[in-house]
Amino acid sequence: GENVEQHPSTLSVQEGDSAVIKCTYSDSASNYFPWYKQELGKRPQLIIDIRSNVGEKKDQRIAVTLNKTAKHFSLHITETQPEDSAVYFCAAKAGSYQLTFGKGTKLSVIP
Amino acid sequence: DGGITQSPKYLFRKEGQNVTLSCEQNLNHDAMYWYRQDPGQGLRLIYYSQIVNDFQKGDIAEGYSVSREKKESFPLTVTSAQKNPTAFYLCASSVPGQGIYGYTFGSGTRLTVV
């Protein structure tokens, strides 16, 4: 089955700096890659996603890049703010119904 | 509440008891899922269902059971065979297809063994 590795597990940045979270996947058939943000005690919320026919997607301060050859994708957050502090999960889907999730990255933005 | 409701929010289980977690959605989604979340472990798939009256085991199904008698409902029973049930349980649903849609999650149930 699919295996998703996510790094780093924790990340601290100063407010206004950029944050980058990286994920790798194992199944070359994977064609959908969402990112979820989970605030403490709350449900994961989809923040951005990318499909395998696209190399990059941007939504305001958030961007995701995909390298199909290397089987890795990354989340980029620019101009970080304290409200960006949360746990972020990457995921991959390989043509079946289930998403396989990474183990999460706890992002702390220091004011 | 985002179209998918989990109840209760907090649940306490005594040793040897079975407990059932509720998950209801009004999004008309065919597929539903149960995940378990432990600190540092991410989200691990327990069971999933693509259509009514059909469900499949995920990666950590031992000690759990589910049913899917209605499209809107996908309850999870944590049985006494689950030796370490204390965790945060998330239910999700999605539109089936070739991976073009993500999940909508419920707000979760925190289960504690007392």
Side-chain angles (χ1 to χ4, degrees):
Chain A
E2 175 68 278
N3 183 49
V4 176
E5 299 283 342
Q6 183 172 346
H7 299 279
S9 57
T10 60
L11 179 60
S12 292
V13 299
Q14 291 292 134
E15 182 178 356
D17 287 349
S18 295
V20 180
I21 301 170
K22 299 182 179 181
C23 290
T24 61
Y25 61 99
S26 61
D27 191 337
S28 56
S30 287
N31 57 3
Y32 176 66
F33 307 92
W35 286 88
Y36 288 84
K37 176 183 179 182
Q38 186 179 28
E39 297 176 357
L40 189 62
K42 296 189 176 180
R43 74 183 81 189
Q45 301 266 20
L46 178 68
I47 56 171
I48 196 167
D49 57 14
I50 191 167
R51 294 164 180 70
S52 58
N53 59 347
V54 176
E56 184 174 359
K57 183 177 179 181
K58 192 172 181 180
D59 183 3
Q60 299 183 334
R61 297 185 298 108
I62 294 174
V64 57
T65 59
L66 172 65
N67 183 327
K68 286 168 53 180
T69 302
K71 289 191 282 187
H72 68 70
F73 56 113
S74 300
L75 177 72
H76 304 253
I77 306 173
T78 58
E79 301 172 18
T80 53
Q81 302 167 4
E83 51 265 39
D84 294 330
S85 295
V87 178
Y88 292 81
F89 293 97
C90 63
K93 183 181 282 191
S96 61
Y97 293 101
Q98 314 87 265
L99 285 171
T100 299
F101 288 86
K103 292 189 175 182
T105 296
K106 183 178 180 181
L107 174 64
S108 299
V109 179
I110 303 165
Chain B
D1 207 12
I4 183 165
T5 303
Q6 287 186 244
S7 62
K9 188 171 183 179
Y10 299 97
L11 186 58
F12 298 90
R13 191 195 93 166
K14 293 182 180 179
E15 295 283 350
Q17 270 187 341
N18 292 354
V19 291
T20 298
L21 284 59
S22 170
C23 179
E24 304 276 335
Q25 53 99 0
N26 61 5
L27 300 167
N28 201 33
H29 286 173
D30 286 308
M32 297 186 74
Y33 316 83
W34 275 104
Y35 283 87
R36 170 178 171 145
Q37 187 173 26
D38 298 280
Q41 293 293 320
L43 299 169
R44 294 185 290 169
L45 182 65
I46 305 172
Y47 268 97
Y48 64 98
S49 168
Q50 300 171 3
I51 57 172
V52 175
N53 293 322
D54 182 66
F55 49 83
Q56 306 294 329
K57 291 182 179 180
D59 301 321
I60 56 165
E62 186 176 351
Y64 300 97
S65 66
V66 293
S67 62
R68 187 83 187 279
E69 297 177 0
K70 298 187 300 181
K71 187 176 184 178
E72 300 79 17
S73 180
F74 191 40
L76 174 74
T77 296
V78 184
T79 74
S80 57
Q82 171 48 241
K83 298 307 178 187
N84 184 24
T86 295
F88 189 52
Y89 291 86
L90 285 162
C91 178
S93 67
S94 73
V95 176
Q98 291 305 308
I100 62 170
Y101 294 104
Y103 292 178
T104 299
F105 281 93
S107 55
T109 293
R110 188 165 298 280
L111 174 63
T112 304
V113 174
V114 296

